[in-house]
Amino acid sequence: QFPTSPLSGDTFYRTDVNEIFIYDESRLKWLSIDKNSLECSRSIVENNISGYMYVGESPQSSTNGFRMPYNGTIVGITINNSNILTSNRTLDIRVNNSESNRIQITITSGNSGATLTDCNLDFSTNDLIQCLALSGTDTLNNVIVKIEISRRI
């Protein structure tokens, strides 16, 4: 069990999972100090079309994505593509393809990428994490997405 009444930055070693956790006051939860990354990409997402990202040669879909081995929290996201956009283009990071249990990250006009560091999206063991570029007027080329996660107990 974690200590009660923690202060921001308090650490605690959980012997049951052999991992150090830190109390994140901004998210009001204990998260693992060690973070893991999920990475996906896609060579092109045409304008006016939504498209799931790929993991290697395998496309994500409404029923396929990163299957999570433990409870955790998405804490950060970066997206980049090889062209400067002339209009905004949004990417959904979804849990179990939910349109309500998601984080959106937007590449704004005049930019080729975006970063979010204050994410707080929980997922559970066996949940799927999917990345979907929503329809927009600009084409995305050579898209790379990195999702940073921490374990949550």
Side-chain angles (χ1 to χ4, degrees):
Q1 293 292 337
F2 289 111
T4 57
S5 304
L7 299 174
S8 185
D10 281 356
T11 58
F12 187 75
Y13 182 74
R14 288 285 300 253
T15 57
D16 57 329
V17 292
N18 296 318
E19 201 161 355
I20 300 171
F21 288 77
I22 188 167
Y23 186 73
D24 185 327
E25 191 172 65
S26 66
R27 294 180 178 94
L28 301 175
K29 60 186 85 169
W30 288 92
L31 296 172
S32 61
I33 287 179
D34 291 334
K35 295 180 177 34
N36 291 303
S37 295
L38 309 174
E39 297 179 5
C40 52
S41 61
R42 186 167 170 153
S43 59
I44 190 167
V45 184
E46 298 284 351
N47 64 318
N48 300 319
I49 295 175
S50 295
Y52 285 95
M53 296 296 115
Y54 282 68
V55 179
E57 299 288 320
S58 300
Q60 295 182 341
S61 68
S62 62
T63 59
N64 190 28
F66 296 105
R67 184 164 301 278
M68 304 315 300
Y70 49 75
N71 295 339
T73 301
I74 296 173
V75 296
I77 304 167
T78 62
I79 181 174
N80 199 55
N81 92 114
S82 61
N83 57 318
I84 303 295
L85 300 187
T86 59
S87 62
N88 295 353
R89 189 83 191 252
T90 299
L91 180 84
D92 265 6
I93 307 297
R94 297 179 175 182
V95 176
N96 296 323
N97 205 47
S98 170
E99 291 186 25
S100 59
N101 193 16
R102 68 181 179 180
I103 296 173
Q104 292 189 315
I105 183 170
T106 300
I107 303 174
T108 56
S109 178
N111 292 290
S112 61
T115 300
L116 290 176
T117 58
D118 60 349
C119 303
N120 188 23
L121 182 61
D122 290 340
F123 56 84
S124 300
T125 301
N126 286 321
D127 279 351
L128 294 176
I129 306 291
Q130 296 116 332
C131 303
L132 173 66
L134 301 180
S135 181
T137 57
D138 278 1
T139 295
L140 297 174
N141 291 299
N142 305 311
V143 183
I144 299 171
V145 179
K146 184 175 182 178
I147 304 165
E148 189 173 62
I149 62 172
S150 287
R151 188 172 190 163
R152 173 184 46 81
I153 294 182

